[in-house]
Amino acid sequence: MSANSAPGRLLWEPDRETVEAANLTDFLGWLRRRRGVDLGGDYAAFWAWSTEELEEFWQAIWDYYEISASQPASLVLDRRRVEGARWFPGARLNYAEEVLGRAPTDEPAILAVAEDRDPRPIQIEELRGQVGALAAALRELGVEKGDRVAAYAGNRPETVVAMLATTAIGAVWTVCAPDFGEKGVLDRFGQVEPKVLFAVDGYRFGGNEHPRLETVKELQAALPSLRATILIRALGSSGESLPGDLDAVPMEELLSSPAPLAFEQVEFDHPLWILYSSGTTGAPKGIVQSHGGILVEHLKSLGLGMDIRAGDNYYFFSSTSWMAWNYLVGGLLHGATIVLYDGSPGFPDLAGSWRIVAATRASVFGTGAAYVSACANAGLMLGAEIDLSALRSAIPTGSPLPPAGWAWLHDQLGPAVRIDPIAGGTDVCTVFVGGSPLLPVHLGRIPCRWPGVAVDIFDPHGSSIRGEVGEFVVTEPMPSMPVHLWNDSDGVRYRDTYFDVFPGVWRQGDWASISAEGEVTMLGRSDSTLNRAGVRIGSAEIYASVEAHPEVADSLVIGAELEDGSYWMPLFVVTVEGADLDEDLRDRIVRGLRAELSPRHVPDEIVAAPAVPRTRTGKKLEVPVKRILQGTPLEEAAALGAVEDPDALSWYVNHKPPAAREEAA
């Protein structure tokens, strides 16, 4: 590992102007003036207050952001426990009303970009008019409060309109990206029985068109709850006749009749949308989050954590199946213009997403850590022709970013851009830990725990630890925690998912460590973390070392407990084009792991692989591969509809543990 990518190196620190302009500075001043809470600009003191005085903190968020409720809450929190907490009982409001009431008026609400289209601005008047028309049309179709409305659609303005129209009438939204196949969609939508389906006729990705009308017909046939299908034309043109065997209404017809906006006032904990777990280890869980919970959480996290503000152009490259899409739409709550990109981040070349940042003058850019690593591994240089002068912060997420990725971002973007890796979860549709404009950024270390999020690290006995690797937990309730899981009326699946190890404490399923200074290092999923002779090893540590070799394009390390009681730790390596996994490279990988980490980090064998299988949001499929290597059939190890490239996963079926290979020989 070069000194340039050594963990702990200072990459960025705030100057006086940055601190003074930060939303959090304004909030701290408001607390001092309006609440008599003087924390002296000390972030650690602020975080402690926000998690210890939980009710006071969240009431301050409500008042500071001037949330409009048609009926006030009777109190902030009915009981202070993580499982089963009820927030702001009695309050009635509507998420869509707040979004449309806070969206920018002087700048576009949306900049819509696609592979075949330059940025198209959409003003708030157009957005409100379309939402009003579509909400009226949904009501005419019989959609009522609590009904489910599903979308098989990409990152397009029509998808945002459909979501806001659905939630405006109190119906429950859910979405799958159109790169999902029929089974992957039905594994999700089949659970929730939607009354209406929005669907695209296809999508463009990487310069190619992918028609989806046949899949839409298959979904219609397999979802008996559907009363109507509304077609979004992504490939076809407005006015074209629909295929005779497709029972659908073009969306543009429903938008042609303006209607006044009317917002159903719902309880604070009324279901807003249903997100899904990755589905890589079984049937995806339907995660139900609430109108009020998401509203107050996104006001807090995007405002005080990510520092989104009016005048920002906020671009988060995301599939609609990833919670980052919902988090992107939340930027409207802060008066920011949101950038929707429907296409590949690597089109027309690897710098494609950076070109979108330049074309839209984005000030905040979020993306998957896998994309940053791909840029770093390819040695991509962001030349002067890609104008990133408007960029204020770059936000990699989705998986731990290797040190080389941090170093590449800093080298390419310079000291003026804050690198702000975040870690959150679909389960809460927000961020647990990230950066702050008040704190410095050190390479490889996430600066802080975000306000109101009582993150801790537990050892196996449930004791809090510092400076050691342990389970990432949350010890106090958060408003955006699920109100329940779908089809889990007795709450058994909910408890088994989050509270099975530490009763009364939320276990996120990640390994991490927190330093004495409060900086966080994420080390991968705890159920795929390596454990040799009782010593836990984060897979991210190994990837950081292995992928620093220029010949390595990608890697996957697995620790599998075998039936005979032994422990097998293979490392799979994907080389760059023109390179081979020869003995010299193997030797350098081993020497690097031994020197940089420990002898325990050295794998039992290093195997050349054609690809590393990933989820559709870019996460390495460590757990499914582990199960396959332990003998689990492919179909049981992972839901293939949630896998980006099923062939990449199926390759591992034929790779057996050494003992099994010897027996077969």
Side-chain angles (χ1 to χ4, degrees):
M1 184 181 299
S2 69
N4 189 48
S5 58
R9 181 167 70 95
L10 179 66
L11 298 183
W12 181 90
E13 55 184 337
D15 55 22
R16 180 177 177 179
E17 182 180 354
T18 298
V19 171
E20 290 178 349
N23 293 332
L24 182 51
T25 298
D26 188 76
F27 180 71
L28 291 172
W30 182 92
L31 277 178
R32 185 176 60 255
R33 296 188 305 273
R34 301 288 293 274
R35 295 291 194 268
V37 178
D38 189 353
L39 300 167
D42 183 328
Y43 187 89
F46 167 62
W47 177 83
W49 173 82
S50 75
T51 53
E52 292 166 4
E53 305 298 333
L54 206 61
E55 293 89 342
E56 188 177 354
F57 170 71
W58 285 105
Q59 184 64 62
I61 293 296
W62 184 288
D63 295 341
Y64 176 74
Y65 283 107
E66 300 179 342
I67 294 174
S68 300
S70 58
Q71 182 174 309
S74 56
L75 70 163
V76 176
L77 186 61
D78 70 339
R79 49 185 173 175
R80 190 160 171 172
R81 70 177 196 179
V82 183
E83 182 183 353
R86 287 193 65 211
W87 290 92
F88 296 98
R92 299 179 70 85
L93 41 69
N94 187 282
Y95 169 82
E97 183 174 17
E98 291 285 339
V99 169
L100 291 170
R102 296 171 184 269
T105 55
D106 297 331
E107 300 291 339
I110 294 172
L111 285 175
V113 193
E115 289 185 357
D116 61 339
R117 187 178 65 237
D118 291 333
R120 178 173 72 88
I122 298 173
Q123 303 296 332
I124 185 59
E125 294 81 5
E126 180 182 355
L127 182 61
R128 289 176 63 89
Q130 291 186 352
V131 171
L134 191 58
L138 289 173
R139 288 188 173 100
E140 290 180 7
L141 290 169
V143 179
E144 300 176 344
K145 175 184 175 182
D147 287 339
R148 276 75 63 204
V149 173
Y152 184 55
N155 196 6
R156 305 176 57 84
E158 297 95 331
T159 314
V160 176
V161 170
M163 186 272 281
L164 292 174
T166 297
T167 57
I169 65 177
V172 185
W173 170 260
T174 191
V175 62
C176 276
D179 55 355
F180 272 62
E182 178 193 2
K183 185 180 185 305
V185 178
L186 293 176
D187 283 347
R188 291 156 174 78
F189 292 173
Q191 299 181 50
V192 305
E193 301 175 298
K195 185 176 282 188
V196 171
L197 173 67
F198 287 88
V200 290
D201 57 359
Y203 67 97
R204 291 181 177 86
F205 192 87
N208 299 311
E209 292 190 353
H210 301 270
R212 279 295 181 263
L213 286 179
E214 292 305 313
T215 304
V216 173
K217 295 173 192 174
E218 292 166 353
L219 296 177
Q220 289 177 315
L223 293 170
S225 60
L226 286 183
R227 291 192 183 179
T229 298
I230 299 171
L231 189 70
I232 299 171
R233 299 185 196 263
L235 299 182
S237 301
S238 176
E240 286 184 359
S241 298
L242 300 183
D245 59 345
L246 179 66
D247 182 13
V249 179
M251 185 167 174
E252 66 265 22
E253 290 185 9
L254 303 180
L255 299 180
S256 62
S257 302
L261 277 165
F263 299 100
E264 182 75 18
Q265 299 301 295
V266 299
E267 301 83 357
F268 186 93
D269 59 1
H270 181 73
L272 171 65
W273 53 47
I274 302 169
L275 306 182
Y276 300 95
S277 63
S278 64
T280 55
T281 58
K285 297 183 292 289
I287 300 166
V288 184
Q289 290 152 351
S290 69
H291 274 248
I294 291 297
L295 173 64
V296 297
E297 177 59 42
H298 285 190
L299 284 169
K300 180 268 298 183
S301 64
L302 286 161
L304 304 186
M306 201 175 286
D307 202 37
I308 300 288
R309 61 188 75 151
D312 277 335
N313 287 352
Y314 170 35
Y315 169 39
F316 209 129
F317 176 79
S318 175
S319 157
T320 51
S321 293
W322 189 15
M323 57 126 316
W325 181 81
N326 306 70
Y327 206 56
L328 170 63
V329 175
L332 293 170
L333 290 167
H334 295 275
T337 297
I338 62 172
V339 177
L340 305 180
Y341 174 53
D342 190 24
S344 166
F347 180 84
D349 53 41
L350 187 57
S353 216
W354 296 105
R355 297 183 195 282
I356 302 299
V357 174
T360 60
R361 302 287 295 164
S363 49
V364 179
F365 171 44
T367 187
Y371 176 68
V372 176
S373 292
C375 293
N377 291 338
L380 180 67
M381 302 293 289
L382 301 177
E385 73 278 5
I386 301 179
D387 180 6
L388 303 177
S389 59
L391 191 62
R392 187 173 77 245
S393 58
I395 303 164
T397 187
S399 59
L401 180 66
W406 291 71
W408 180 85
L409 277 174
H410 180 67
D411 291 345
Q412 297 301 312
L413 303 179
V417 177
R418 179 165 62 96
I419 301 170
D420 185 16
I422 57 175
T426 298
D427 316 79
V428 290
C429 197
T430 191
V431 172
F432 295 121
V433 297
S436 171
L438 274 57
L439 295 174
V441 178
H442 295 96
L443 190 148
R445 300 172 185 171
I446 297 175
C448 62
R449 293 166 283 184
W450 271 11
V453 187
V455 167
D456 206 343
I457 304 299
F458 277 10
D459 68 13
H461 307 293
S463 298
S464 178
I465 55 176
R466 289 293 174 271
E468 301 176 42
V469 175
E471 286 275 5
F472 186 103
V473 300
V474 181
T475 60
E476 296 285 357
M478 295 170 58
S480 65
M481 284 175 171
V483 291
H484 57 81
L485 301 182
W486 195 259
N487 291 334
D488 182 38
S489 58
D490 57 6
V492 170
R493 198 178 186 195
Y494 183 79
R495 287 190 294 275
D496 288 348
T497 299
Y498 304 112
F499 304 100
D500 61 333
V501 176
F502 306 113
V505 173
W506 176 284
R507 185 179 72 97
Q508 181 61 18
D510 290 312
W511 285 121
S513 66
I514 299 177
S515 70
E517 296 75 27
E519 293 180 314
V520 180
T521 302
M522 301 300 297
L523 296 165
R525 295 293 296 174
S526 58
D527 49 10
S528 62
T529 297
L530 313 167
N531 188 331
R532 272 188 159 177
V535 177
R536 299 188 191 96
I537 302 169
S539 58
E541 297 173 295
I542 291 181
Y543 299 143
S545 176
V546 173
E547 294 172 19
H549 295 277
E551 299 95 334
V552 177
D554 209 351
S555 63
L556 181 73
V557 66
I558 301 296
E561 302 82 7
L562 303 180
E563 289 184 357
D564 63 2
S566 62
Y567 190 82
W568 176 43
M569 194 174 109
L571 170 68
F572 300 94
V573 170
V574 181
T575 56
V576 299
E577 186 175 352
D580 294 317
L581 182 61
D582 55 20
E583 289 305 310
D584 175 69
L585 178 55
R586 282 188 171 91
D587 182 60
R588 283 187 284 123
I589 289 173
V590 167
R591 283 190 282 112
L593 289 169
R594 188 181 296 273
E596 296 168 18
L597 302 172
S598 81
R600 291 188 178 92
H601 290 75
V602 176
D604 295 313
E605 59 180 327
I606 303 177
V607 183
V612 170
R614 295 178 181 270
T615 68
R616 294 182 182 275
T617 57
K619 295 182 179 179
K620 299 183 183 187
L621 290 172
E622 295 171 334
V623 174
V625 171
K626 175 179 178 176
R627 293 183 175 181
I628 289 170
L629 298 183
Q630 290 172 318
T632 303
L634 176 65
E635 295 75 16
E636 297 176 20
L640 297 183
V643 178
E644 179 66 30
D645 182 1
D647 290 338
L649 182 62
S650 63
W651 179 88
Y652 291 80
V653 172
N654 296 318
H655 194 81
K656 306 296 184 185
R661 276 179 260 156
E662 290 172 7
E663 185 176 317

